Amino acid sequence: MTASPNGGEPEGGARAAAVPIAGRAGVRAWWRTPTARRLAFGYTLLSPAILYVALLVGAPFLFSLYLAVSDASVGDPFAEFVWLENFKAAWESPTFWIALRNSILVTVVAAIFKSLLGTTLAFLLLQPFRGKKLIRGLVVIPFTVPSAVSVLGWKWMYDSQFSVVNWALNRVGLISAYGTEGWPIWLGQPHLALAAIIAVNVWRSFPFTAIVLLAGFTAVPQEVIDAAKVDGTTFMQRFRFLVIPMIAPILFVGLLFDTVFTLSDISVVLLLTNGGPGNATQILPTLAYQIGILAGALGRGAAISLFLFPLLLPAMILLLRNLKRREW
Amino acid sequence: MVTAARPRSQRAKEIRRHVLIYAGLSPYILIAVFPLYWMAITALKQEADLYRMDVIPVWFNLPPTWKNFDYLFNHTNYGAWIVNTMAISALVSVITLLTAIPAGYALARLRLPGAENLGIAIFMTYLVPAIILFLPLSRVVSMIGLQDRWWALVVVYPTFTIPFCTWLLMGFFKTVPAEIEEAARVDGCGQLGALVRVVLPVSLPGVLTSVIFAFTLSMQDFLYALAFVSVGDQKPVPLGVATELIRGDVFFWGSLMAGALLVGVPVAILYNFFLDRFITGITGGVVR
């Protein structure tokens, strides 16, 4: 991270360009130019943030690659290289495949419901009406409450006997009474538990989808819409050929963010089912936590958590390309 | 007659439109708010009132009580958890500001070569999931001797608050007109002087936003707290509530909900006010 002399800055540019040819004296003179001082100042200001991120995100990331190919465990600091042994062990364990499948299933199914609920909500919130601020504030509550807190609330709502969800379903006649076959035990039956987890995921983030979409919709200039109206386009045409292309980038970023959040979220599963019943609701993050921290097999855990990376990578590359295209 | 009826029908149309919109929105409001309402009412119910399915459970069948809150403060570490949470969030905010303000300013204003890529690179680290980092970080935490102390979280939380707030502040600093900074330089301020005396005061809303996000993002975490802190009186609130109010098969639902709400609702309100900034922050003004 050295200050480069060709900073492309008009007032100092001419002198900076001469630096490589000049000798020691020239270098010393260059250090006194405004450009050089600005660059030195700039990188000094940047360095604490970069150091922090490099030391506590960059280095741990590399360290986790190392852990994944070692037999490190909590009690044993002297790890040996085992190459791809951890990945192989994961690959051969049926629980890993359940976790991988659930991770993808939860993310995809939740994304579908979030898009449906989010889009319809965004359209409703786009209309002018009284009390919009208040209603918007109420509707985004799920996204703003810390997830551990709201998941605890859901756990109580899914209680096997005193579930308010079941009480309501029973009252409207959709399920039969407690103690019978027709009384769903949300967190105790494999398929229901998975559905319950997806429901909480959707509940938590459909407001986010709606707000991102709303931000996109309101960013489309009214004049453009009006001009298209004058030209005699229908609503659907305007939507398809004007609004969607214009909000596509923002939609995209919102969707990618949501995917990353959902894939790596651990609190919903950990607090609701802890991966159970059996291993039916295990996802990659919970499995990595159980094996890496609870069972103390750091290497195994790191390998499992790294399987998330290929799932995340496409989203992150797309996001990167999108951010680079933005105007500066 | 016709001219008199006209505004009335206009009004009727407006009312009808409103009714339709409210009707459309009400299921969303119900879905969004009910879990919170259920938590609140559970927190205030008497024990006996919680476990009855023969009566309507969405309202009090026995008089409301403060007993759950009383239990929380007098028989658990809740007081300590609140203090921990506040201390963690405050310290994280300070660390974040001390690093993100200079970084954001440098990236936005100093025309550094490669500033764009650096800015994006820093922001992308916000997206590296905690689940990939928490195993190596647990090693780091035990290496520096902070295992099982809330200080560990002060060290770890800036890994996501610094990238986010740097990105956010960069956006803010870009909107400060260059002229006022140049004017300050002409008046004899150094580069640092111009930042501290002119740019910062003008960007105070941005700085405040960053503090709010550093604060609320710290309170949103669960995984790091769970992985690094397992001593009762060192926990932050969400972790303490989730781990100490469940004893084996026994759930102290009333106190559990009370404890969760006491921290959840203030965070939700704060976060809500700044939600638009959050969205603009992460979508990075893609549409402008």
Side-chain angles (χ1 to χ4, degrees):
Chain A
M1 212 155 310
T2 49
S4 139
N6 38 15
E9 214 262 331
E11 77 246 32
R15 277 155 87 186
V19 167
I21 314 159
R24 280 177 85 94
V27 171
R28 225 174 271 144
W30 180 79
W31 274 110
R32 282 198 295 271
T33 61
T35 314
R37 291 209 336 240
R38 195 192 73 229
L39 293 182
F41 179 62
Y43 288 116
T44 312
L45 289 186
L46 262 177
S47 55
I50 290 185
L51 267 177
Y52 211 112
V53 171
L55 282 177
L56 286 167
V57 180
F61 182 74
L62 296 178
F63 193 41
S64 110
L65 294 179
Y66 161 75
L67 282 179
V69 293
S70 77
D71 66 349
S73 64
V74 169
D76 168 31
F78 301 104
E80 272 176 41
F81 265 104
V82 293
W83 298 112
L84 296 179
E85 207 53 47
N86 291 323
F87 293 96
K88 208 175 133 233
W91 200 261
E92 281 163 3
S93 118
T95 316
F96 167 77
W97 287 103
I98 296 174
L100 184 64
R101 192 207 60 181
N102 285 347
S103 273
I104 296 171
L105 188 78
V106 168
T107 308
V108 172
V109 176
I112 292 169
F113 280 102
K114 272 179 251 185
S115 317
L116 286 175
L117 286 171
T119 319
T120 46
L121 180 58
F123 262 112
L124 283 166
L125 288 175
L126 197 60
Q127 315 301 321
F129 62 88
R130 275 162 177 264
K132 192 166 170 170
K133 274 222 161 116
L134 174 73
I135 289 184
R136 206 200 79 158
L138 289 176
V139 171
V140 297
I141 278 179
F143 183 68
T144 55
V145 179
S147 72
V149 167
S150 54
V151 174
L152 286 172
W154 277 96
K155 196 176 170 87
W156 171 222
M157 285 172 50
Y158 283 137
D159 186 88
S160 54
Q161 186 176 354
F162 302 103
S163 161
V164 69
V165 175
N166 281 3
W167 175 83
L169 291 175
N170 180 250
R171 278 297 161 104
V172 290
L174 283 173
I175 59 170
S176 38
Y178 173 69
T180 60
E181 270 288 293
W183 179 266
I185 298 170
W186 289 100
L187 304 176
Q189 288 158 303
H191 285 99
L192 289 180
L194 211 50
I197 282 161
I198 292 173
V200 177
N201 260 314
V202 172
W203 177 82
R204 247 192 83 62
S205 47
F206 81 88
F208 177 74
T209 316
I211 298 295
V212 169
L213 273 166
L214 197 62
F217 286 149
T218 43
V220 177
Q222 192 57 44
E223 304 91 69
V224 179
I225 304 272
D226 289 341
K229 267 186 197 164
V230 172
D231 291 344
T233 52
T234 65
F235 173 80
M236 278 321 280
Q237 279 174 327
R238 285 196 300 277
F239 191 66
R240 169 74 189 78
F241 296 107
L242 264 178
V243 179
I244 291 203
M246 286 188 87
I247 68 167
I250 203 170
L251 248 182
F252 199 61
V253 171
L255 195 75
L256 293 177
F257 254 93
D258 194 66
T259 308
V260 174
F261 287 158
T262 310
L263 263 179
S264 51
D265 179 58
I266 191 171
S267 52
V268 175
V269 175
L270 211 60
L271 288 174
L272 272 189
T273 63
N274 198 13
N279 278 314
T281 58
Q282 207 68 263
I283 53 171
L284 289 178
T286 50
L287 193 64
Y289 172 76
Q290 286 174 359
I291 292 183
I293 294 276
L294 296 183
L298 287 172
R300 287 278 163 89
I304 291 168
S305 71
L306 280 176
F307 274 103
L308 264 184
F309 209 64
L311 298 182
L312 288 170
L313 204 60
M316 295 190 48
I317 289 171
L318 288 172
L319 194 63
L320 193 67
R321 284 182 44 189
N322 234 296
L323 289 175
K324 286 201 117 173
R325 265 218 320 259
R326 70 174 244 182
E327 302 225 341
W328 282 71
Chain B
M1 278 299 261
V2 177
T3 44
R6 218 194 169 140
R8 206 184 306 151
S9 80
Q10 197 76 21
R11 212 180 124 75
K13 232 173 135 184
E14 238 338 70
I15 291 176
R16 228 190 63 169
R17 202 176 61 87
H18 268 82
V19 167
L20 273 177
I21 289 175
Y22 292 142
L25 281 168
S26 47
Y28 292 96
I29 299 174
L30 185 72
I31 294 172
V33 177
F34 183 78
L36 262 285
Y37 168 77
W38 187 238
M39 291 172 79
I41 203 166
T42 301
L44 290 167
K45 273 187 180 181
Q46 294 186 28
E47 189 81 358
D49 199 1
L50 283 182
Y51 305 115
R52 286 180 65 179
M53 296 303 284
D54 52 328
V55 288
I56 294 173
V58 293
W59 192 240
F60 297 101
N61 298 298
L62 295 169
T65 170
W66 291 107
K67 233 181 67 198
N68 295 319
F69 289 90
D70 181 60
Y71 177 83
L72 202 60
F73 283 100
N74 294 324
H75 298 276
T76 70
N77 284 319
Y78 198 76
W81 300 338
I82 294 257
V83 173
N84 297 344
T85 302
M86 289 300 151
I88 294 166
S89 303
L91 286 166
V92 169
S93 303
V94 170
I95 295 175
T96 307
L97 284 188
L98 286 179
T99 49
I101 288 177
Y105 175 79
L107 290 174
R109 301 308 289 258
L110 294 176
R111 287 161 296 163
L112 303 174
E116 178 187 339
N117 288 335
L118 260 175
I120 290 176
I122 291 180
F123 182 58
M124 289 303 277
T125 59
Y126 176 67
L127 287 177
V128 178
I131 190 67
I132 291 183
L133 298 177
F134 84 107
L135 285 168
L137 280 176
S138 75
R139 269 285 171 93
V140 173
V141 163
S142 69
M143 231 155 53
I144 52 180
L146 290 179
Q147 189 69 42
D148 277 338
R149 297 176 53 193
W150 60 259
W151 279 97
L153 303 178
V154 176
V155 175
V156 166
Y157 289 169
T159 55
F160 52 83
T161 58
I162 290 176
F164 186 77
C165 292
T166 301
W167 184 255
L168 202 71
L169 282 164
M170 202 168 83
F172 268 103
F173 288 143
K174 273 192 192 141
T175 61
V176 178
E179 293 80 41
I180 64 163
E181 208 183 334
E182 276 153 21
R185 298 292 295 281
V186 171
D187 290 347
C189 270
Q191 265 173 318
L192 196 62
L195 164 60
V196 175
R197 284 196 221 140
V198 181
V199 180
L200 268 190
V202 180
S203 324
L204 214 57
V207 174
L208 180 72
T209 309
S210 302
V211 172
I212 300 289
F213 281 128
F215 222 86
T216 48
L217 288 177
S218 304
M219 289 185 177
Q220 300 260 356
D221 167 73
F222 184 72
L223 176 61
Y224 285 141
L226 181 70
F228 303 151
V229 183
S230 58
V231 172
D233 64 353
Q234 295 286 314
K235 293 175 179 174
V237 179
L239 179 70
V241 169
T243 53
E244 310 250 322
L245 290 170
I246 303 170
R247 303 261 159 80
D249 278 352
V250 186
F251 291 79
F252 296 83
W253 284 119
S255 305
L256 206 68
M257 295 298 116
L261 272 177
L262 276 187
V263 63
V265 169
V267 175
I269 291 171
L270 262 183
Y271 204 26
N272 200 340
F273 276 119
F274 290 82
L275 193 66
D276 288 318
R277 294 259 167 85
F278 183 81
I279 304 287
T280 332
I282 60 176
T283 51
V286 184
V287 174
R288 217 175 269 172

